[in-house]
Amino acid sequence: MTELSTWDASPPVKVGTHVVLELIDEEGGRERLELDVVTDAAADFDGGLLGIGTPLGKAIAGRRSGSTAPYKVGDLRQVEIVEVRPAAAAAPADAAERRQAALDKAAQDIAKTNAQIFASTFEGKWGGYNPDGMDHWDEEPPGDS
């Protein structure tokens, strides 16, 4: 009878697990990352929730602590799974709504920036636009309260 090593006893990476990772770049540099693995609908990377269907989620899915997986994104080359354990808490039910709100805010910020760029570069025969007068972009539209 053989004794199970820690690597053999650790659970595989799947939804509902907490992972400690080390991202390894092309020069051997390492960056530590701790995340809970969740469904893609509940993903919030900034909040520590990694969607299982993301490139990083796919790279580590099914692997156990002590293993290394290829992960070629930017200057990163691989990811080492340092630890896998059950997640301490379930993913928040409103994660998808919070992510959508962040996307909506980003889209609004982009529209505002584009309008300011246009206003600062446009010069018509009746004069130009003053981008300083575009503060209404930060206000709620009428009837949306």
Side-chain angles (χ1 to χ4, degrees):
M1 181 171 178
T2 60
E3 188 176 323
L4 286 177
S5 69
T6 307
W7 184 85
D8 294 328
S10 77
V13 175
K14 62 183 179 182
V15 172
T17 57
H18 179 84
V19 294
V20 178
L21 308 171
E22 286 200 356
L23 302 174
I24 305 167
D25 66 26
E26 59 195 2
E27 295 177 3
R30 293 173 174 259
E31 179 181 345
R32 195 173 190 95
L33 198 57
E34 288 198 39
L35 302 160
D36 285 344
V37 181
V38 297
T39 62
D40 291 337
D44 178 8
F45 192 80
D46 290 339
L49 304 174
L50 174 68
I52 193 72
T54 63
L56 180 57
K58 290 177 181 177
I60 63 173
R63 297 180 183 268
R64 298 176 187 271
S65 62
S67 65
T68 303
Y71 183 64
K72 295 183 178 175
V73 175
D75 67 340
L76 298 175
R77 293 297 168 252
Q78 52 187 337
V79 58
E80 180 180 342
I81 302 161
V82 176
E83 182 182 351
V84 181
R85 64 178 184 264
D94 68 341
E97 286 128 16
R98 287 186 293 120
R99 185 175 57 253
Q100 187 60 50
L103 289 171
D104 292 345
K105 171 89 170 77
Q108 182 180 8
D109 290 347
I110 290 168
K112 178 181 178 182
T113 300
N114 286 341
Q116 288 173 329
I117 290 169
F118 173 78
S120 66
T121 60
F122 182 81
E123 186 70 35
K125 68 180 183 179
W126 293 285
Y129 289 102
N130 179 1
D132 295 332
M134 302 183 81
D135 293 335
H136 70 278
W137 282 90
D138 296 326
E139 299 170 7
E140 288 288 322
D144 281 1
S145 38

